[in-house]
Amino acid sequence: MRLFDSKKLAELQQNTSNIRNICILAHVDHGKTTLADCLVASNGIISPKMAGKLRYMDSRKDEQERGITMKSSSIALYYCLEGKEFLVNLIDSPGHVDFSSEVSTAVRLCDGAIVVVDVIEGVCPQTQVALKQAWLENIRPVLVLNKIDRLILEMKLSPLDAYVHLTQVLEQVNAVMGELFATEVLGRDVVTVKTKTHEQSQMNRDLSEWSTGLEDADDSQLYFSPDHGNVVFASAVDGWAFSVEDFASLFASKLGIDESTLKQHLWGDFYFHTKTKQIISGAQEKAKKPLFVQFVLENLWAVYDTIVVRKDKEKLQKILDSLHIKLTARDMRHTDGKVQLQAVLMQWLPVAKAVLSMVCEKLPSPLEISEEKVEKLMCSQTERFDALPADTQALKSSFLRCSPLNDSPVIIFISKMFPVERKCLPQNRQQPLTAEEIAQRREQARQKHAEMMMQTCSLEEKKSIQNLSEADLSMLSMKKDVEQTSPLHLSDDVFIAFARVFSGTVKKGQEVYVLGPKHDPHKALEMLKNGQDINPNLKLKDLKSGQHITKVVIEDLYVLMGRELDEIDCVPAGNVFGIGGLEEHVLKTATLSTTVACPAFTELTLMAVPIVRVAVEPCQPQDLQALIHGLRLLNQADACVQVIVQETGEHVLVTAGEVHLQRCLDDLKERYAKVDINASEPIVPFRETIVVPPSVDMVNEAILDQHNAPKKAPGHEGDAETEALITIHTSNKQSTIKIRAAPLPSDVTTLLENNMQLLKAMDRHFNSKVENTRDSEEMSSEDAHNATLLTERTLKAINNLREELKKAFANAGKEWEDAVEQIWSVGPRRCGPNILLNRVPGYNRSSVWEKFNKDNFIDPRAEYDSSFIYGFQLATIAGPLCEEPLMGVCFVVEDWILTSPQDSSEPVGSQPYGPFSGQIMSSVKEGCRRAFQAQPQRLMAAMYTCSIQANAEVLGKVYAVLARRHGRVLHGDALEGSASFCVEAALPVVESFAFAPEIRKQTSGLASPQLVFSHWEVIEIDPFWTPRGVFALRREG
């Protein structure tokens, strides 16, 4: 039975200081959902005996079958600590890498996180990702070291060995936190120099004057330590957990030591001197048992040994008497030691008490949100917060107050939309009828059915109907009603918004603005000043380019209770909840507010890259519309999936991995489209590049006959330096372009690829355009300045990137001299790993590092500068090999001649070849493609980093499976304190399909892989190579 009802819940929601919004983060199979079951069972929602077996938060059928969580789901829990009542909004998130986007949606709504680590497997790849996501979102984590029972029963470690192993796992977790902290501090580029006079600094500049900032940064709340109270030791499957505080309170009176003192020394290199009754440091040095081993682990080991191993009934009774625990007669008679163990430890060390106490004491409430987090939510890290409008900046105080008062603006963030069956909504749920209502309905049904039968039957039948009993008539009426009622509408899905209130109180019937992800408060406030209002009838599908605001009236509000929803009338600030009726206004994420000055929240940090795609089509052509409708619903329901319609009309699904792909196809077939579909084989993207001309061919023979050598441009047959120089003319012969392609140095390509977000911010900064909502002359200089302001940190990062590129080009050779200052553009999408170099004589336009103003440039070519860049962007987004994006290619423009250009004011219809700007665009695109084809071309394959944990006896089988799939083992290390190995390998994505089932089959389930997209790798095979010579023809056929 649940511990609280809707009235109690509404009361708890009003006390913001006692609300905790938390999520559970961990690697797959580390025990998140089992831990969540234990916490849910503490509220009487499920039986404690079913915790870990029911997997209450996994409501999908495929989640139960696979045994992994695929979506983030929330539940509200009640907990009372020292007389204070707390409301804990718990979000269980997936651990599989394919569903890391669901983790991002959960982390954004939380103030704290429970990080679960399997003490056997230690810190795994997804553990590091989870800690990184928590760090990026500025939420405070606490640690649960889970599956300690495996140290006792599987690894059979002694208490002292288990203690050493636990310290090593704790050090691994803290090492990850320390790395994140150091990266953040060093990224700020805080280099302080002690102030000295100019003469002193010239005479003597000591190295001690310089500091990285790590010494001054505060890391007191950074690391996990049991004596700080932010670590819990647990075995969720056996139903127990404890912190050092639990045992400190237990042994303090027995040892005659102050409880707080014992709590501070129970974990660490301390031992208890039995004669002096004192705690002394140096247990390891003096070969003494640490306090944690003596008073904690040895007692736990004794309980396991008595109940599970030796099954000593007499000693069990003594343990029960000493702990003041009572077992039922059924549990005492049970032959399974695990059942008895769980019954004892659930009463002695309940999971909910240890974990929820730590959550309520150590994790912050919504009132404790930091200024840094607020600024991150309101403004991207590349732009300055003070560049926002004054009205928008004033909302920062509303975030910090988190006030539910009516005068506070309502600010809500929706992190995702999730589907719910319509019949599961509270308003559609069947309510139990009272006895009076049942009798009244029976009488109405009898009369109604009798009248209908009398009208449609003959005279003799009417007499027989009059003789029917009341029960028969009621049964006939019920059958008739069931036949007339179509259940079709009950099976339809509705979308509920997964949201949190950051300010104000949202109520039913309240009108709010729906702000899309691209909403700009500058433009919205200016529009309202000009007297333009938001049309309340607009929906998402009605919005045109540049429009990102709609209006909506809140219809339904829900409290999320795992598999169920409870309807409520209002939700105050600081709570996680659900909103109904927003399907037509929100696609994936959105911001709701009562003011358009509120900015759209920054984009979610997605750790998984959608890379696996399939083409789908209906089995029956007449089901095409149903498939399109299903794809639209799937795109709305999944934060990571992408739906693309190709130019050929083909519908393509882009997913994060094989498991994610299978889930999307199942949902499309069974839930959204509800038609049979055909899916193609998975399509893996490639990249196109060029390489330095090789000296040997595919069979290691020297290339003597250069059939595929770079072609020389016409008129330059004797000039070796002009090889592969392509000369191309526009259609009207009024412009000539000379261009060649060259492979970029690998360091330059890596730098560009790793700084794509920085290049995007730089492009927005230098190429921002004013919308036509007002004339540029009317735009104030202050607004124009603020619209493109970047943070000082971003400007420093741009300068650092510039310097690193200079070094990389300098190391590549003299041919790249001054290349950084000649960068015309990067692509594709102005932020990719390809470069357009400007080496046009006399055309000294500013580089990509500065803003280009063609109005201040006298050269007539400046008018068509943007067309030239667009042509380059088109060439790099789809290469000539297989229409895949280019990577690592530099296009060098050697000359651009413009002869008597056409008058741009001339009507387009009178120009025989179309607009001159369009001709330049198409000519640049064609010239880049030809220059690319004049060089040795290669494809680049997408590569996964594959992390495999396996036992030593199956290590050879793991290597064999990797070899068959062209994998490359990077390293394999034994995990400390266990017989398992962690193998890391590089695996082509195209070879990864059905890899996990195969490796589990070959190793009998003793190896489990995790695949994460890593990088692009050149395939050293010439796609146009043809065998020549007798030996090559025999070898290649």
Side-chain angles (χ1 to χ4, degrees):
M1 183 178 177
R2 282 171 55 174
L3 296 183
F4 62 93
D5 54 12
S6 56
K7 291 183 179 179
K8 184 68 175 177
L9 177 65
E11 179 185 338
L12 293 171
Q13 286 182 334
Q14 297 293 333
N15 190 357
T16 312
S17 61
N18 286 357
I19 295 174
R20 299 292 184 269
N21 298 315
I22 63 169
C23 57
I24 305 180
L25 307 177
H27 188 77
V28 64
D29 291 332
H30 277 205
K32 298 180 304 298
T33 305
T34 304
L35 177 64
D37 272 5
C38 295
L39 302 181
V40 171
S42 69
N43 273 232
I45 298 174
I46 63 173
S47 168
K49 293 184 180 295
M50 294 301 294
K53 305 179 184 69
L54 185 60
R55 299 177 64 88
Y56 181 76
M57 303 298 283
D58 292 347
S59 56
R60 292 173 57 96
K61 180 182 177 183
D62 47 3
E63 287 180 319
Q64 294 286 345
E65 291 173 351
R66 288 180 177 266
I68 61 173
T69 304
M70 296 185 179
K71 66 179 187 327
S72 55
S73 50
S74 177
I75 188 168
L77 301 177
Y78 167 83
Y79 184 66
C80 184
L81 177 65
E82 298 177 355
K84 293 183 180 180
E85 294 180 321
F86 289 87
L87 175 65
V88 179
N89 293 311
L90 176 72
I91 304 177
D92 183 25
S93 61
H96 197 283
V97 64
D98 284 8
F99 307 104
S100 60
S101 60
E102 291 284 333
V103 181
S104 301
T105 63
V107 168
R108 174 57 62 88
L109 304 183
C110 295
D111 302 303
I114 302 174
V115 179
V116 183
V117 176
D118 184 340
V119 294
I120 301 296
E121 298 182 1
V123 176
C124 293
Q126 283 304 109
T127 311
Q128 299 181 19
V129 171
L131 288 169
K132 184 176 181 180
Q133 285 183 301
W135 180 267
L136 292 176
E137 292 288 344
N138 289 79
I139 66 174
R140 189 183 304 169
V142 291
L143 182 64
V144 173
L145 295 177
N146 195 25
K147 301 191 180 182
I148 293 182
D149 60 295
R150 296 181 64 188
L151 298 177
I152 307 173
L153 301 178
E154 284 186 30
M155 299 183 64
K156 302 188 185 313
L157 297 181
S158 66
L160 183 59
D161 291 338
Y163 170 74
V164 174
H165 183 80
L166 289 173
T167 58
Q168 291 172 348
V169 174
L170 195 59
E171 287 174 1
Q172 292 176 12
V173 181
N174 284 331
V176 176
M177 295 301 296
E179 183 181 354
L180 293 170
F181 176 72
T183 304
E184 174 74 16
V185 173
L186 296 176
R188 295 172 186 164
D189 199 21
V190 181
V191 182
T192 59
V193 185
K194 294 182 179 179
T195 53
K196 282 191 173 184
T197 63
H198 180 70
E199 295 178 359
Q200 288 177 325
S201 62
Q202 290 296 328
M203 292 175 61
N204 182 22
R205 179 170 293 177
D206 191 11
L207 290 176
S208 62
E209 298 174 9
W210 297 85
S211 169
T212 60
L214 283 173
E215 296 84 358
D216 302 328
D218 181 20
D219 60 351
S220 58
Q221 300 293 327
L222 177 66
Y223 297 109
F224 300 106
S225 179
D227 54 343
H228 291 167
N230 57 3
V231 178
V232 160
F233 305 90
S235 172
V237 72
D238 286 341
W240 60 266
F242 67 88
S243 62
V244 292
E245 186 178 357
D246 297 328
F247 279 88
S249 59
L250 183 65
F251 284 101
S253 58
K254 295 181 180 180
L255 300 177
I257 301 174
D258 182 61
E259 183 178 333
S260 61
T261 303
L262 184 58
K263 177 184 174 183
Q264 291 298 321
H265 297 89
L266 196 56
W267 175 267
D269 192 28
F270 303 98
Y271 71 95
F272 182 70
H273 199 285
T274 54
K275 294 183 178 180
T276 61
K277 304 293 183 180
Q278 291 180 344
I279 296 174
I280 303 174
S281 63
Q284 183 178 359
E285 181 183 355
K286 298 174 183 177
K288 301 289 186 179
K289 287 182 183 178
L291 288 173
F292 193 77
V293 175
Q294 184 177 358
F295 296 114
V296 179
L297 295 186
E298 286 186 350
N299 287 313
L300 268 178
W301 260 243
V303 172
Y304 270 85
D305 182 63
T306 301
I307 301 176
V308 180
V309 180
R310 294 191 291 114
K311 298 183 179 180
D312 190 340
K313 299 286 186 181
E314 295 181 1
K315 195 171 182 180
L316 171 61
Q317 189 59 50
K318 293 181 180 179
I319 292 175
L320 295 177
D321 293 339
S322 63
L323 296 176
H324 307 289
I325 294 174
K326 292 184 180 180
L327 291 187
T328 62
R330 180 180 178 182
D331 288 337
M332 289 295 293
R333 291 194 306 267
H334 213 291
T335 57
D336 188 355
K338 272 282 191 179
V339 175
Q340 290 183 334
L341 179 76
Q342 291 174 3
V344 172
L345 292 178
M346 280 181 183
Q347 296 182 56
W348 180 32
L349 302 170
V351 172
K353 179 184 175 184
V355 175
L356 293 180
S357 295
M358 176 177 64
V359 165
C360 296
E361 290 177 352
K362 298 299 177 182
L363 296 185
S365 71
L367 292 175
E368 300 174 54
I369 187 170
S370 64
E371 292 189 17
E372 184 181 2
K373 181 175 181 179
V374 170
E375 292 186 3
K376 276 187 178 181
L377 293 176
M378 297 178 68
C379 179
S380 68
Q381 293 186 348
T382 59
E383 298 175 358
R384 293 177 56 178
F385 180 76
D386 56 8
L388 295 172
D391 294 345
T392 304
Q393 295 182 45
L395 293 176
K396 179 179 176 180
S397 60
S398 300
F399 275 93
L400 295 173
R401 289 197 311 270
C402 194
S403 172
L405 300 178
N406 294 329
D407 58 349
S408 300
V410 174
I411 302 175
I412 303 168
F413 178 70
I414 297 172
S415 65
K416 71 169 184 174
M417 303 287 287
F418 65 94
V420 174
E421 292 186 14
R422 192 181 299 272
K423 63 182 179 182
C424 295
L425 294 177
Q427 55 266 38
N428 296 334
R429 203 178 297 156
Q430 291 186 353
Q431 301 294 332
L433 300 177
T434 62
E436 293 80 6
E437 290 176 333
I438 293 174
Q440 184 180 2
R441 288 195 177 191
R442 184 186 296 118
E443 182 61 27
Q444 291 176 353
R446 180 184 179 282
Q447 294 177 359
K448 181 180 178 182
H449 190 70
E451 292 174 359
M452 293 175 60
M453 296 284 285
M454 291 289 285
Q455 293 175 0
T456 57
C457 297
S458 61
L459 183 62
E460 295 179 358
E461 291 174 338
K462 289 180 181 179
K463 293 180 180 179
S464 62
I465 290 172
Q466 291 174 352
N467 296 329
L468 286 176
S469 66
E470 181 179 340
D472 294 333
L473 287 172
S474 300
M475 185 61 66
L476 287 173
S477 177
M478 290 173 64
K479 289 181 180 179
K480 187 75 173 178
D481 291 342
V482 169
E483 292 174 359
Q484 291 180 348
T485 303
S486 174
L488 184 62
H489 71 282
L490 296 178
S491 61
D492 291 341
D493 288 324
V494 295
F495 281 91
I496 304 298
F498 192 34
R500 172 180 166 178
V501 190
F502 285 87
S503 174
T505 299
V506 60
K507 303 174 183 178
K508 280 187 179 181
Q510 189 174 18
E511 188 177 56
V512 294
Y513 295 103
V514 182
L515 312 175
K518 294 184 179 180
H519 163 68
D520 185 357
H522 281 282
K523 300 172 185 175
L525 291 171
E526 186 65 25
M527 185 178 65
L528 291 181
K529 286 181 183 177
N530 295 337
Q532 302 179 25
D533 200 3
I534 308 299
N535 186 353
N537 298 322
L538 279 180
K539 295 182 179 179
L540 190 64
K541 61 182 179 180
D542 302 324
L543 295 179
K544 299 177 182 178
S545 178
Q547 294 181 335
H548 307 289
I549 308 176
T550 60
K551 269 186 179 181
V552 68
V553 176
I554 301 296
E555 298 177 0
D556 301 303
L557 298 174
Y558 305 103
V559 175
L560 306 176
M561 297 297 298
R563 299 184 181 184
E564 299 179 357
L565 299 172
D566 286 350
E567 197 169 12
I568 50 176
D569 294 327
C570 65
V571 181
N575 287 281
V576 175
F577 69 110
I579 312 176
L582 297 180
E583 299 98 327
E584 301 294 333
H585 296 270
V586 179
L587 181 60
K588 292 178 184 283
T589 65
T591 306
L592 306 185
S593 181
T594 51
T595 171
V596 294
C598 179
F601 278 45
T602 53
E603 294 181 2
L604 297 174
T605 305
L606 299 180
M607 296 297 180
V609 180
I611 198 169
V612 180
R613 40 177 127 173
V614 294
V616 293
E617 64 178 9
C619 293
Q620 303 296 330
Q622 60 267 26
D623 294 332
L624 180 59
Q625 289 302 319
L627 174 64
I628 294 173
H629 178 69
L631 287 171
R632 189 179 298 115
L633 295 178
L634 177 64
N635 185 42
Q636 190 172 23
D638 197 306
C640 192
V641 76
Q642 296 177 7
V643 179
I644 302 172
V645 181
Q646 304 280 30
E647 294 179 358
T648 58
E650 197 175 38
H651 294 83
V652 176
L653 274 181
V654 189
T655 59
E658 191 176 4
V659 180
H660 187 209
L661 171 63
Q662 188 59 48
R663 192 196 76 169
C664 290
L665 292 177
D666 291 343
D667 282 353
L668 190 61
K669 189 184 303 182
E670 299 171 4
R671 188 165 195 174
Y672 301 126
K674 297 181 181 178
V675 296
D676 293 331
I677 59 174
N678 291 327
S680 69
E681 291 296 320
I683 308 165
V684 177
F686 288 84
R687 293 291 182 266
E688 302 179 25
T689 190
I690 55 177
V691 296
V692 177
S695 57
V696 294
D697 63 5
M698 294 284 296
V699 290
N700 291 329
E701 293 181 352
I703 300 177
L704 300 176
D705 185 15
Q706 298 285 347
H707 288 288
N708 294 325
K711 298 179 182 179
K712 297 181 180 181
H716 298 277
E717 287 80 1
D719 190 355
E721 294 182 357
T722 58
E723 288 184 349
L725 184 65
I726 301 300
T727 303
I728 192 166
H729 306 276
T730 55
S731 301
N732 58 7
K733 307 299 181 183
Q734 293 183 355
S735 180
T736 303
I737 301 168
K738 294 181 180 180
I739 192 168
R740 63 180 175 89
L744 274 177
S746 58
D747 292 343
V748 175
T749 305
T750 304
L751 281 171
L752 293 174
E753 190 178 14
N754 293 340
N755 291 277
M756 290 180 67
Q757 294 300 325
L758 193 61
L759 293 172
K760 278 184 183 178
M762 194 170 67
D763 177 64
R764 287 196 302 267
H765 177 62
F766 291 129
N767 299 309
S768 60
K769 294 182 179 180
V770 182
E771 297 282 340
N772 291 330
T773 54
R774 52 176 172 163
D775 296 332
S776 58
E777 292 83 0
E778 297 177 0
M779 184 177 180
S780 67
S781 59
E782 182 183 358
D783 288 347
H785 177 65
N786 288 342
T788 56
L789 273 180
L790 297 179
T791 61
E792 185 178 351
R793 181 178 176 182
T794 305
L795 293 174
K796 288 182 179 179
I798 292 173
N799 290 331
N800 290 340
L801 174 61
R802 193 172 181 176
E803 294 300 323
E804 289 174 358
L805 285 174
K806 282 182 180 179
K807 292 178 183 178
F809 277 124
N811 296 333
K814 291 184 178 180
E815 65 271 18
W816 298 104
E817 190 175 356
D818 295 330
V820 174
E821 304 305 326
Q822 296 171 349
I823 298 177
W824 196 340
S825 180
V826 293
R829 299 184 181 92
R830 297 180 181 268
C831 61
N834 304 286
I835 285 178
L836 180 68
L837 277 190
N838 174 24
R839 290 184 178 172
V840 179
Y843 188 57
N844 300 319
R845 78 182 298 279
S846 56
S847 66
V848 72
W849 311 104
E850 301 170 3
K851 187 174 181 64
F852 174 66
N853 190 350
K854 66 180 181 180
D855 297 332
N856 299 333
F857 208 65
I858 304 175
D859 197 311
R861 289 173 289 191
E863 184 179 353
Y864 304 100
D865 187 272
S866 60
S867 300
F868 205 105
I869 293 175
Y870 288 146
F872 162 73
Q873 301 295 334
L874 291 173
T876 54
I877 194 99
L881 273 179
C882 48
E883 298 296 323
E884 293 284 356
L886 304 188
M887 187 171 185
V889 182
C890 176
F891 293 103
V892 184
V893 184
E894 300 288 0
D895 201 0
W896 180 19
I897 302 171
L898 207 62
T899 58
S900 60
Q902 296 180 165
D903 185 7
S904 59
S905 61
E906 185 179 349
V908 175
S910 63
Q911 300 176 13
Y913 301 104
F916 191 50
S917 58
Q919 294 179 46
I920 290 179
M921 194 185 305
S922 58
S923 297
V924 172
K925 176 186 174 182
E926 186 62 27
C928 290
R929 291 171 74 96
R930 290 187 191 178
F932 182 89
Q933 290 173 313
Q935 298 288 340
Q937 304 165 65
R938 295 291 186 271
L939 285 176
M940 299 182 76
M943 301 294 289
Y944 275 140
T945 295
C946 176
S947 299
I948 306 171
Q949 290 193 345
N951 294 338
E953 57 266 22
V954 298
L955 211 55
K957 296 179 180 179
V958 170
Y959 289 154
V961 174
L962 286 170
R964 282 198 298 271
R965 291 176 174 266
H966 303 92
R968 185 174 70 255
V969 177
L970 302 177
H971 59 80
D973 300 324
L975 295 174
E976 294 183 9
S978 71
S980 299
F981 281 78
C982 182
V983 178
E984 190 164 326
L987 183 71
V989 175
V990 73
E991 297 283 354
S992 67
F993 302 106
F995 172 71
E998 181 184 359
I999 204 167
R1000 289 196 188 99
K1001 181 180 178 182
Q1002 294 295 328
T1003 61
S1004 301
L1006 296 178
S1008 55
Q1010 278 278 304
L1011 301 174
V1012 183
F1013 175 74
S1014 174
H1015 64 283
W1016 299 90
E1017 196 168 284
V1018 176
I1019 302 174
E1020 295 295 344
I1021 299 175
D1022 186 354
F1024 299 106
W1025 180 77
T1026 54
R1028 296 185 299 276
V1030 177
F1031 176 74
L1033 287 172
R1034 284 179 181 175
R1035 177 173 175 174
E1036 303 295 332

